[in-house]
Amino acid sequence: MNSLSRASFDATRCPEAVRALLYIVANEIPALPLVYAARTHGSMLMLKFGKLSEAPSRAGRKVPRPSGDWELLIKLADWNLSGCKSASNASDAQQIDEAIAEGVGLQVSEFTITPDGIISIQLGSSVKYEVLPLGPSGYSLWSLYRSASWA
């Protein structure tokens, strides 16, 4: 098995630094809730996992700000979202917005990254994201990072 999950980890195909990162991600993201999901531009998605932090608003008020412990920005990839409502990178904006709202608040039960960069995220038992290489090029562009607090 060439995928990474909380229960299994095959390190044979990854450089040591990549193996370390994937191990950390697989052990920190599962059990965190998806606290924010949005279509940023076109079919780009921003997913944030963890707790909502509070930060000053522009008017000086404190409001919940969607900043998670981990953030995934899917920039250029074939992605699919399945659940009660489904969408993909080829769907129209309204269909994407309705489908991504369904997973907000659900806990991550599995977060998998393969050595080839394929991402699979299971939220609860009903919602699943899959991020795949784009078309025949086999190229995908996404960023996964741990959020920093500037407070």
Side-chain angles (χ1 to χ4, degrees):
M1 181 172 170
N2 289 325
S3 66
L4 169 71
S5 69
R6 189 171 194 158
S8 64
F9 177 63
D10 179 2
T12 60
R13 294 185 52 204
C14 299
E16 187 174 330
V18 173
R19 285 195 316 261
L21 172 65
L22 297 180
Y23 182 81
I24 290 168
V25 167
N27 285 286
E28 286 194 19
I29 295 178
L32 293 176
L34 175 66
V35 293
Y36 180 82
R39 181 180 50 82
T40 60
H41 179 73
S43 64
M44 292 174 51
L45 296 181
M46 171 61 80
L47 306 176
K48 298 183 180 193
F49 307 92
K51 296 180 181 176
L52 278 177
S53 65
E54 289 190 8
S57 70
R58 292 182 186 182
R61 299 180 309 254
K62 286 210 169 228
V63 295
R65 184 162 124 182
S67 179
D69 299 318
W70 286 89
E71 301 185 5
L72 173 64
L73 176 60
I74 303 166
K75 301 173 189 175
L76 183 63
D78 279 335
W79 60 263
N80 295 297
L81 170 58
S82 57
C84 290
K85 298 182 180 182
S86 298
S88 73
N89 56 298
S91 299
D92 65 49
Q94 182 177 354
Q95 185 178 359
I96 293 171
D97 293 343
E98 290 174 0
I100 61 176
E102 181 181 5
V104 175
L106 297 177
Q107 279 193 328
V108 176
S109 54
E110 184 175 350
F111 192 102
T112 303
I113 303 175
T114 68
D116 299 328
I118 297 170
I119 300 173
S120 178
I121 305 166
Q122 181 70 45
L123 300 171
S125 61
S126 60
V127 178
K128 184 171 187 173
Y129 283 89
E130 292 180 302
V131 181
L132 308 164
L134 186 62
S137 69
Y139 178 76
S140 62
L141 180 60
W142 49 263
S143 302
L144 176 68
Y145 54 95
R146 188 182 302 201
S147 299
S149 173
W150 300 98

